[in-house]
Amino acid sequence: MAVKETHGVRFEQICKSFGEVKALRPLNLEIKPGEFLTLLGPSGSGKTTLLNIVAGFLDPDDGRLILGGQDVTALPPRARNIGMVFQNYALFPHMSVAENVAYGLKVRGVKGMALQRQVNEALEMVQLGGYGERAIDQLSGGQQQRVALARAMVIEPDLLLMDEPLGALDRQLRKHVQLEIRRLHTKSPRTTIYVTHDQEEALVMSDRVAIMRNGRIVQIGTPGELYEKPDSAYIARFLGESNLLPVKVLGVEKDRIAYSIRGYEGTFSTPAKGQAENTPGEAQLLIRPEALRVSQTDGNSLRVVVEEVVYLGELTATKLRFADGQEGWLRAMKSPAHQPGAVIRVTWAPEDTRLLPAKD
Amino acid sequence: MTRVETTHAWRGHDQRLGRAAMTFLLFLPALIFLAVWFVWPLGQLILLSFQGEDGAFAAYQEILTSEVFRIVFFNTLKLAVLVTIICTILAYPAAWLLTRVKGFWFSIALYCILVPFWISILVRTFSWMLLLERSGPVNNFLITLGVTDQPLKLLFNDLGVYIGMVHVLLPYAVLPIYSSMLKIDQRLLLASDSLGASGRTTFFKIFLPLTLPGVTAGATFVFLLALGFYITPALLGGPHNLTAAMLIDSFVNERLVWPLAAAASVILLVIVLVVLAVTSRFVSLGSSVVVK
């Protein structure tokens, strides 16, 4: 399959309300050509509404949608050249696998040998060569998902949309298909917008992730940026596990921020560069469970009580209780086995912490 | 359930037996009723058809070689086919409208389709006689509009029969088609749209094929009911609008040849069974009637 020039997408002040409910507040976003962008958020955050607007199934109340430099806001779905993979696949039940894949090509006037060849290539691509004659209901969920992918990609869309395409698959299969989609994307990069509420999916597959909440994009960045430098406790909690401790920011001195932790004496500090919060006052301190270590010395450490030790195979998770009663986790490849009730000290590297606003 | 069956195989067996017995008991009153009032008389009818004065197959021989009977059966089939086609064509957009309207207008539309079900077929047929007569409202209206200056002959001919029968049978076509349209996943239409198909293509390639089971079911109901129609053609038709049912009636009431009437009935029944057997190979008629 020839890879053709792929288009970028730009949202300009797109907004949408359903009655009183503001599904999307004025939203701006630019997606680069060939980029795999995931919209991540809980249900009701507006991610599916945004996807439906891109597809043309919904009209925005206001704003413009630019696809490859062209304003497509007023175009019907059929004129947008967008491939869509639906949540329940939406395969045509009265057609065979090959007929499903051929549908978009036939509509475009592809016939005969060319049609046959492109359909076969698309099925080979999703590793379903030889399944063309099967009926849709003879396929497993994972196979149906791949037919849906082939059907959307065979038309060489300028933009590929996926609406929670792995939601119906079991965990094992989901991991497999995630990597499969990633592989196809790396092989022929095509601008893709992927909607999910599964954080792991977002981290594995995306070039960038946009986290949505109440009709807004609250933060956008690469999976690494979002995980390591979240802007708020909400995002920290949404992506991965986190220890969030209430702290008081005392002030900025040179290039370090000093703070105290509730329930503990003494002051601590962290590099000021790139922190989300640095104004004196209430704040939250984020330390990821894997950044915590058991310490033998007193410096830069906290006394905690071991509540529970959970064996996770390659990792051991230790549930901790901090001085102010807050619970937290320490995760390590091999942490010394502590008995529940033991008092230990935990420490961290100052640059592995992040100060976040007190409010979500 | 599987564990119960493996570890307590006997008790599981008893439970299944108990359930089967219960099912049978619940069916029993209806079964007895049907056996006494339907299966028994039907058996009598079939026996009767072989009791002609000139031998067992005399009645069938007379019917199958009779020119009149052939013409009447052909007319009945033609009538049923045409009524079925007209009903299906009219029902399709009506069913589609039903899936589109909401709330108050949905109730109105649904009642328009269902109310005729609740009124006796005799009353409806007489109403059509009043509406369609020479100086009836329909003719008056057409004359006022200037469509015609002479009253049109709307009664006691093919036209009257078609109008009356289509009116009576239309709901039987609308409901299964409506049901099949409701079952279509709207995302399939969106998928077709996003793949670049025009509204026309989406209709002919996706929507229509997916509603075909409903269309087949509706058409089958209409056709089978139309085959045995009696009152409407008898009252609204002319002398040449003789149907099989009317012929059977004349065998019984005028010529008093019961074996002949019985044989004609059996032939009609066989036609109905053949049509049912053929269509049920393609669609499950039962599942098409139940809405949702």
Side-chain angles (χ1 to χ4, degrees):
Chain A
M1 199 181 303
V3 179
K4 73 171 183 182
E5 190 70 28
T6 171
H7 291 63
V9 188
R10 197 163 75 241
F11 300 89
E12 292 177 356
Q13 294 292 107
I14 293 274
C15 58
K16 178 78 185 172
S17 298
F18 298 108
E20 289 296 295
V21 183
K22 286 195 163 49
L24 285 179
R25 322 236 173 197
L27 184 143
N28 294 296
L29 176 63
E30 174 126 28
I31 304 169
K32 294 186 277 287
E35 186 177 24
F36 194 117
L37 181 110
T38 296
L39 300 173
L40 176 66
S43 51
S45 59
K47 53 193 197 306
T48 299
T49 305
L50 189 57
L51 198 72
N52 282 330
I53 287 175
V54 183
F57 302 149
L58 274 179
D59 288 325
D61 295 340
D62 200 12
R64 299 200 310 159
L65 175 67
I66 314 290
L67 179 58
Q70 190 199 352
D71 185 345
V72 298
T73 322
L75 288 184
R78 58 184 162 277
R80 294 187 182 193
N81 199 33
I82 283 175
M84 174 106 181
V85 180
F86 291 80
Q87 192 167 6
N88 65 345
Y89 320 136
L91 296 173
F92 305 129
H94 58 299
M95 297 182 187
S96 69
V97 168
E99 285 169 333
N100 263 280
V101 177
Y103 190 83
L105 292 172
K106 279 188 191 158
V107 165
R108 284 165 172 72
V110 182
K111 286 194 193 80
M113 293 299 282
L115 180 71
Q116 194 89 40
R117 185 176 49 77
Q118 289 185 45
V119 169
N120 286 340
E121 278 177 11
L123 286 174
E124 296 282 339
M125 176 188 72
V126 295
Q127 300 176 349
L128 284 176
Y131 280 71
E133 297 311 310
R134 299 272 183 106
I136 295 303
D137 58 12
Q138 289 177 320
L139 300 184
S140 70
Q143 290 169 334
Q144 292 191 13
Q145 204 283 332
R146 283 183 278 161
V147 176
L149 198 60
R151 185 180 70 175
M153 289 177 79
V154 76
I155 60 171
E156 296 287 328
D158 296 325
L159 176 63
L160 189 62
L161 304 179
M162 297 197 225
D163 184 10
E164 308 217 10
L166 310 184
L169 305 182
D170 66 53
R171 205 181 141 70
Q172 206 67 21
L173 197 54
R174 207 154 60 207
K175 288 203 155 177
H176 177 75
V177 183
Q178 278 172 19
L179 296 173
E180 188 65 23
I181 293 177
R182 185 73 214 157
R183 179 182 71 82
L184 290 173
H185 182 75
T186 327
K187 209 168 127 196
S188 59
R190 184 188 305 282
T191 318
T192 303
I193 304 180
Y194 188 96
V195 161
T196 184
H197 61 260
D198 183 318
Q199 43 132 328
E200 186 193 311
E201 226 166 272
L203 295 181
V204 170
M205 308 208 300
S206 325
D207 295 324
R208 277 197 303 163
V209 179
I211 297 185
M212 296 197 66
R213 188 187 191 191
N214 297 333
R216 284 198 184 89
I217 291 177
V218 284
Q219 192 176 357
I220 182 164
T222 65
E225 282 165 8
L226 290 177
Y227 186 79
E228 282 156 28
K229 302 219 174 299
D231 282 345
S232 69
Y234 173 79
I235 293 164
R237 271 197 297 266
F238 208 84
L239 285 180
E241 312 234 356
S242 44
N243 296 308
L244 286 161
L245 297 174
V247 299
K248 184 166 272 171
V249 173
L250 302 171
V252 184
E253 209 172 302
K254 286 185 193 157
D255 50 357
R256 294 188 83 78
I257 306 176
Y259 59 89
S260 63
I261 302 177
R262 193 201 292 168
Y264 292 96
E265 289 185 3
T267 57
F268 301 82
S269 73
T270 183
K273 201 170 160 238
Q275 292 289 354
E277 179 70 39
N278 58 16
T279 51
E282 299 293 321
Q284 295 186 76
L285 180 72
L286 167 69
I287 313 174
R288 294 289 185 187
E290 64 274 15
L292 276 184
R293 292 191 313 275
V294 177
S295 163
Q296 310 301 334
T297 61
D298 285 2
N300 191 45
S301 67
L302 300 177
R303 272 166 65 91
V304 295
V305 179
V306 174
E307 293 263 298
E308 199 182 337
V309 179
V310 183
Y311 179 67
L312 298 173
E314 74 263 42
L315 290 175
T316 304
T318 310
K319 191 177 180 186
L320 313 169
R321 189 169 296 280
F322 292 93
D324 67 336
Q326 181 119 352
E327 281 178 1
W329 288 92
L330 176 152
R331 227 170 17 203
M333 291 291 267
K334 221 180 193 170
S335 61
H338 295 289
Q339 292 302 314
V343 177
I344 58 170
R345 297 194 78 88
V346 290
T347 186
W348 63 89
E351 59 273 19
D352 285 347
T353 56
R354 191 162 168 82
L355 284 167
L356 302 173
K359 282 190 174 169
D360 280 1
Chain B
M1 197 53 214
T2 40
R3 246 182 72 194
V4 171
E5 275 167 13
T6 49
T7 54
H8 305 288
W10 281 107
R11 207 199 295 166
H13 189 65
D14 285 354
Q15 275 176 357
R16 271 207 308 276
L17 265 186
R19 201 167 300 164
M22 183 61 107
T23 311
F24 180 71
L25 278 177
L26 287 172
F27 265 119
L28 199 58
L31 279 178
I32 293 174
F33 183 90
L34 283 177
V36 172
W37 300 110
F38 179 68
V39 179
W40 172 253
L42 190 64
Q44 291 293 311
L45 183 81
I46 293 170
L47 281 181
L48 189 62
S49 71
F50 292 108
Q51 287 167 358
E53 284 164 14
D54 311 322
F57 294 96
Y60 288 97
Q61 199 174 7
E62 185 176 343
I63 286 173
L64 295 175
T65 54
S66 138
E67 182 70 21
V68 174
F69 194 82
R70 250 205 312 263
I71 292 171
V72 169
F73 252 75
F74 176 76
N75 279 343
T76 309
L77 282 174
K78 191 180 87 177
L79 178 68
V81 167
L82 283 175
V83 166
T84 303
I85 292 171
I86 296 169
C87 276
T88 310
I89 290 172
L90 291 181
Y92 203 84
W96 184 80
L97 191 72
L98 264 186
T99 64
R100 291 286 120 181
V101 292
K102 297 250 151 35
F104 174 73
W105 292 109
F106 173 75
S107 308
I108 294 289
L110 192 64
Y111 276 94
C112 283
I113 288 162
L114 287 182
V115 163
F117 260 144
W118 304 333
I119 301 169
S120 143
I121 189 170
L122 204 58
V123 172
R124 280 186 281 167
T125 307
F126 275 122
S127 307
W128 276 115
M129 290 178 79
L130 291 174
L131 287 172
L132 297 177
E133 66 182 359
R134 271 186 75 83
S135 53
V138 174
N139 262 323
N140 283 342
F141 182 67
L142 291 177
I143 289 168
T144 320
L145 277 185
V147 177
T148 171
D149 17 290
Q150 292 284 318
L152 296 174
K153 190 164 168 45
L154 303 171
L155 264 184
F156 311 124
N157 56 11
D158 287 353
L159 189 61
V161 176
Y162 283 120
I163 291 175
M165 283 180 68
V166 167
H167 173 236
V168 172
L169 293 172
L170 196 56
Y172 293 97
V174 172
L175 292 179
I177 296 175
Y178 168 64
S179 158
S180 70
M181 286 177 178
L182 271 193
K183 282 182 202 150
I184 294 180
D185 182 350
Q186 292 302 306
R187 275 172 291 203
L188 296 179
L189 310 179
L190 293 181
S192 171
D193 196 354
S194 77
L195 285 167
S198 63
R200 224 179 102 91
T201 308
T202 301
F203 177 77
F204 283 109
K205 297 280 180 182
I206 310 294
F207 194 79
L208 186 62
L210 289 175
T211 53
L212 274 187
V215 171
T216 315
T220 308
F221 290 140
V222 171
F223 180 74
L224 294 181
L225 290 168
L227 268 187
F229 247 53
Y230 174 70
I231 292 174
T232 309
L235 292 178
L236 298 180
H240 71 281
N241 292 112
L242 202 59
T243 65
M246 287 157 71
L247 194 68
I248 294 167
D249 169 68
S250 82
F251 286 155
V252 174
N253 288 326
E254 287 160 30
R255 291 179 53 193
L256 302 175
V257 277
W258 285 67
L260 221 48
S265 305
V266 170
I267 291 173
L268 204 55
L269 181 66
V270 167
I271 294 176
V272 167
L273 290 178
V274 167
V275 172
L276 259 183
V278 170
T279 44
S280 65
R281 284 186 69 97
F282 298 107
V283 287
S284 144
L285 293 176
S287 69
S288 309
V289 201
V290 187
V291 175
K292 272 191 179 170

